Every structure is written in C-alpha cells, then in structure tokens.
Amino acid sequence: MDPERVHHLALATLETTSRFPWLLNLLPRISDQRLVREVFGIRFPNPIGLAAGFDKNGVALPAWEAFGFGFAEIGTITAQSQPGNPLPRIFRIPEMEALINRLGFNNEGVEKIGVRLERLRQSSRWLKIPVGINIGKTKVVPLEEATDDYLESFRRLQGIGDYFVLNVSSPNTPGLRKLQEKGAIGELFEAIQQQNLGKPLLVKIAPDLTREQVDDILELAKEHRLAGIIATNTTTDQQTIPEEKRQAGGLSGKPLRTRSLEILRHIRRQSSLPVISVGGIMSADDARERFDAGAELIQLYTGFVYHGPGLVREVAGSLVRSKK
C-alpha cells in the first residue's frame, strides 16, 4: 500500500480514538520521576517527543500522550492552507530503515487548525504534556514576504502552543532554506520575538549546513534570545542510499543518524542553548547516544514509523535503567 495512504489511515484511526479518553486510558502510561526534565522553563514528563511532520494538523494529540510521548510537536503549519506537492511523495526504504518525503507542508492552514486546537484546549481532553507548534512559509508567498507570513501564523497560535518552532530547513518548499542565511534569519528572529509574549521560540535547522552556517545561526539565536535549537531536519544528501532508491525530497531515518549526531556535538561545543535532537534515532542506544552528546530532549519520526509506540517505551525504560 502507498506509504502516504497508510499514514492517513493510521491518523484517521488515532483521530477517532482520541475522542474516547476511556479507550486511551487502557494503555499503560509512562510515569517515572526520574524521566522528568525541565527545559526552557517547561516541565516535560519525559524527554521523548513526537517530531513535527507526523500530525501536521493536530488531529490526534491525545493519542500521542497515551503512547507515552513526553511532548508532541504538530505542524508544519502555514498561514494559508495548501495541498503540498504532487503524489506520490513518500517513499520507504525498509532495508535501510529510511524514508524520503517531499510532502511540501501540506496542511489545513493556521485558521482551521487554530480553531481545532482551541476547542481541544477548552475541553477535558487537552494534554498534560507540552505541545509544540512548528510553523513554516506558505509556498505561494515570495521569500521577501516570508517574515510577515510566519508572523501571521505565530500571532494566531501564540496563545495555544507551549513552545514554537520556526521551520526554515525543509527541502520541500522551493527557496525555503535560503531563510537560514544570516541576514534573512536574523530578520525573522527579530520580528517574531517582537511579537512574542513569552513563549519559548526555537529554530529547526538542516543537517546540510556548514559549520560556519551553524555558528552564524547560533550567534543570532543567542542575540535574539531564542530558547533552543532543533537539530536536524531531513537531508538532501542521498549518497548513503543506492542510486535506484533515490528520489527528490528529504531523507530521514537510519542514514541520517551520523550527520545529525555530528551537528548536535558541534552545537554543544559552540553553544549552551538547549538542543532537541532528531534524525536517525531508531533505538534506545541511539537515544542514549544523543543524551550523552548533550541533547536535552529528543524527537522520533522515522523510528516511530518503523518501530511504533514500542520504541517510546523502549527508550524510556532504557533511560530509567541507566539512572538506577
């Protein structure tokens, strides 16, 4: 079956299940004080999060808490609704535990998602774990108007999310990665922070940046009082996979592990900003490696696709055992 169809079917099931708290309560919860982390002023019941991209429209939030995640990040959300890139646009490489996607920020737009989240927040089903909101640029908006586009999304959702992430690193929106350049990203940080009423603001960076480019972003993040860095997004470098498996889009999963870890270690050498590490975390050993390298939190995406909710519990159990 087409991977995207599988994804939509799974999300639809989880969306339905999320309406019945008693059903979700049948799942054993992960609860251990040794897993609690406080990062950028937010209490996380455990340091294992769902990465952005899985639940773009925020339709299944209660399910992520039930699966044991210590936080969930929705999005990427854009100011205008958009269908994303043409199908097919998700490709599995199971023998390498890898995915290539070129989705292109397909989402319902900030207004519709905002209404959904407000209704959930006002209900008894709102989560006890932090919810991050990842925002990006609408595809049809010119790069020179990107800051205003991000601002529209941030203003609409600021009262809902626990933290916010500026996605300037997806390879699937034409020109988006140019926003990682020093002048453009500094302007974006300044504009958002001028409107920020106290929510932690992070930036998600690409694994394909040079060390000098990473250092420029770290310097600007510190200057504009960002709360942290998410490292990393998917990579456009597909040299690690067979040529016949390559597709236009971003590569994630096990082939990204080494580069994502390198970026994390570089950030740790250069900065004291908290880092959420994501990319190629496929096992409990991978997760411990990220924490040993200095990550405050981690996120799962492709590992969750291949290994399911059991991976969350495997990582949590490993972390608890390591603290005995």
Side-chain angles (χ1 to χ4, degrees), residues 128-146:
K128 296 181 178 64
I129 62 173
V131 175
I133 298 181
N134 185 301
I135 57 177
K137 186 186 81 68
T138 306
K139 183 176 181 178
V140 298
V141 170
L143 269 181
E144 56 269 22
E145 299 173 21

Side-chain angles (χ1 to χ4, degrees), residues 186-297:
E187 176 189 329
L188 180 61
F189 289 169
E190 182 176 9
I192 298 289
Q193 291 293 56
Q194 284 177 351
Q195 301 293 317
N196 192 351
L197 300 177
K199 294 296 176 75
L201 181 69
L202 295 85
V203 62
K204 187 168 187 174
I205 64 172
D208 309 309
L209 296 173
T210 65
R211 291 187 176 188
E212 291 75 18
Q213 289 172 314
V214 173
D215 292 345
D216 286 343
I217 291 173
L218 293 174
E219 181 183 334
L220 288 165
K222 182 179 180 181
E223 178 184 336
H224 294 286
R225 305 179 310 284
L226 265 66
I229 307 289
I230 298 186
T232 63
N233 214 316
T234 58
T235 181
T236 55
D237 182 356
Q238 299 185 12
Q239 294 182 53
T240 55
I241 63 173
E243 190 170 354
E244 67 273 13
K245 300 284 187 179
R246 297 173 191 173
Q247 295 279 347
L251 174 67
S252 62
K254 188 175 283 187
L256 182 55
R257 173 186 162 271
T258 300
R259 181 57 180 163
S260 183
L261 183 59
E262 286 174 356
I263 293 280
L264 167 62
R265 286 173 171 158
H266 178 75
I267 294 172
R268 274 284 69 92
R269 288 192 294 268
Q270 302 298 318
S271 172
S272 60
L273 280 171
V275 180
I276 301 178
S277 186
V278 56
I281 301 174
M282 313 299 288
S283 67
D285 287 343
D286 291 338
R288 282 200 308 274
E289 190 173 41
R290 302 304 169 94
F291 291 119
D292 290 345
E296 276 76 14
L297 305 167

